Amino acid sequence: MRTTGDVVVVGGGMAAGHLVASMHRRGLAHRLTVLGAEPHPPYERPPLTKDELTGAAGTEPVGTEADLARRLSMYSPAWLAEQGVAVRVGARVIGIDRTRRTVAVDGGEAVSYRHLVLATGSRPVVPPPWAERPGLVHTVHTAADGARLRPLLREGVRLVVVGGGFVGLEVAAAARGRGCPTAVVEAGPRVLGRVCTPVTSAAVARLHEEHGVRVITGTRCVDVAPGEGGAPRVVRLADGTALAADLVVVGLGVRPETGLASAAGLEQDSGTGGIAVDDALRTTRDPLVSAVGDVAAFPRAGYGGRLRLESVGHASASAEHVAARLAGEDPGPYAGQGWVPVFWSDQYHHTLRIAGLSTGYDTTDVGGAPGEGPFTVRCLAGGGLLAVESLDRPRDHSAARRELRAAPVP
Ligand SMILES: Cc1cc2nc3c(=O)[nH]c(=O)nc-3n(C[C@H](O)[C@H](O)[C@H](O)COP(=O)(O)OP(=O)(O)OC[C@H]3O[C@@H](n4cnc5c(N)ncnc54)[C@H](O)[C@@H]3O)c2cc1C
């Protein structure tokens, strides 16, 4: 079967969802055909490790995967139908033919495009020996993961979280709220080492310790052994420590989902692993194909190399940029003057917010009381502001965004 599409989007996650909104604002949503592999239309992912895991969303029990996806849904199916947006769920794209301008959907259908947007996102990293044993470890990336995990976080269930990044720490915070004895194992010298300054890492680690989490840093998890006959799993660390666990959650980061793009001969950025795009988010080898969200590796003036970001802010901004271009507007370069990446994380009753990118900072200016209460860390290079991390200081975050928006591109 062959279907004719106009703007075809591969991937039905958050970037695709924001593209629907951006096209809708321009009266162009009817041009979209979204092909998503998951069995749900676009939904919000951040609550999967926040309110939906802590139970703060007030839905007890969590219900099925479909219930969860419906609660987090960005749009109702009725609204999408009214706008004439074709959002196809359970539609995994298995090939792109750039000569014929078609994509092949698993099941035999071919969909032609005038413009193709790759919004395939990313997938969690799980070391192969663990991935091969279903149920041995959990990840949190999809509604299916969320619906599986939440009922398992019961009082007294011993949890080991492997990886001290945002996802791992949010899971740890949710688990403590549900009465689970929890340990976090981080191979690096500090939690959030890839994304935050040492001041913020130390303050966040302390927050977790105050809530009873055992935070173990500087040693790798080398093995997760299944418990025999109802015995707990054994999580072994490189330093010889063995932790008993009823539940193991892995938060070791994600890899961009680039298989389709690479197979179609599109360039993969060697630095970030994402699909290489230009400053208009067009793939470097084919201007009829764009990439948005987690999977896009885009240039940033003065940065030296491409960037790849995993955040709702970038999913939304990149989708807005592509929509503007498809509507014939001139949005200027993506990540140009006025562009400020933002990120947030909720842990316990605290919110950590980050504006800007701290890579390459040479000085920090710390205000407040890190480790004791709200604080702000300003990251500077040569006296210029690069990024601001703040805990429970929303006004500092807003001010930082304004300041960074006005700062010249480095
Ligand atoms: C648990 C969790 C918590 C998060 N918390 C925050 C937060 O607090 N703040 C923040 O800023 N960001 C957060 N993020 C990150 C944010 O959700 C992502 O950056 C965002 O979802 C990226 O959007 P995307 O569309 O690029 O990818 P995704 O939302 O991952 O969507 C990609 C979609 O493409 C589909 N797909 C892949 N290959 C194919 C194919 N071949 N055919 C069809 N479909 C395909 C996938 O199934 C998936 O549905 C969080 C992410 C997770 C997982």
Side-chain angles (χ1 to χ4, degrees), residues 10-16 35-38 45-46 48-50 91-94 119-122 140-141 167 170 257 260 292-295 309-313 315 342-345:
V10 182
M14 292 204 66
L35 303 171
E38 287 187 67
R45 287 186 204 279
L48 293 174
T49 42
K50 302 179 180 69
R92 175 171 292 282
V93 172
I94 52 171
T120 46
S122 52
V140 198
H141 198 75
V167 163
E170 288 183 0
E257 196 70 76
L260 265 184
V292 292
D294 282 12
V295 81
L309 296 180
E310 296 145 17
S311 75
V312 173
V342 291
F343 192 83
W344 83 96
S345 175

Side-chain angles (χ1 to χ4, degrees), residues 58-308:
T59 39
E60 203 67 68
V62 65
T64 63
E65 171 191 341
D67 294 333
L68 179 56
R70 217 174 1 257
R71 277 204 299 282
L72 301 181
S73 197
M74 294 174 80
Y75 312 100
S76 72
W79 184 87
L80 289 167
E82 260 168 46
Q83 308 311 316
V85 189
V87 174
R88 306 258 303 276
V89 299
R92 175 171 292 282
V93 172
I94 52 171
I96 302 170
D97 183 334
R98 292 195 289 120
T99 312
R100 291 200 168 87
R101 291 191 208 158
T102 56
V103 297
V105 182
D106 199 7
E109 186 187 359
V111 181
S112 66
Y113 62 83
R114 290 216 284 201
H115 193 87
L116 184 66
V117 181
L118 299 175
T120 46
S122 52
R123 63 172 184 285
V125 172
V126 181
W130 308 347
E132 281 154 20
R133 299 195 68 135
L136 181 67
V137 300
H138 291 256
T139 53
V140 198
H141 198 75
T142 62
D145 298 334
R148 229 180 344 255
L149 183 61
R150 184 167 141 187
L152 301 176
L153 292 180
R154 292 184 309 272
E155 174 111 38
V157 166
R158 288 163 296 182
L159 169 70
V160 173
V161 176
V162 182
F166 283 119
V167 163
L169 292 174
E170 288 183 0
V171 170
R176 287 304 298 137
R178 298 179 81 80
C180 304
T182 300
V184 172
V185 180
E186 165 56 47
R190 56 189 174 92
V191 298
L192 300 179
R194 200 170 58 88
V195 282
C196 287
T197 57
V199 172
T200 298
S201 292
V204 171
R206 182 160 169 192
L207 193 64
H208 280 271
E209 283 164 351
E210 282 169 3
H211 282 84
V213 175
R214 183 173 170 197
V215 179
I216 303 168
T217 55
T219 183
R220 257 172 6 97
C221 171
V222 290
D223 185 36
V224 179
E228 301 299 333
R233 293 163 179 74
V234 180
V235 178
R236 291 188 199 289
L237 311 188
D239 68 0
T241 307
L243 304 168
D246 304 302
L247 193 61
V248 178
V249 173
V250 174
L252 291 172
V254 295
R255 288 231 170 82
E257 196 70 76
T258 54
L260 265 184
S262 299
L266 296 169
E267 186 190 356
Q268 191 169 355
D269 177 55
S270 56
T272 63
I275 301 170
V277 292
D278 64 15
D279 66 6
L281 301 175
R282 287 177 299 231
T283 55
T284 50
R285 292 189 186 145
D286 190 340
L288 294 182
V289 183
S290 300
V292 292
D294 282 12
V295 81
F298 56 93
R300 159 89 161 140
Y303 186 75
R306 287 191 164 81
L307 278 172
R308 198 179 65 71

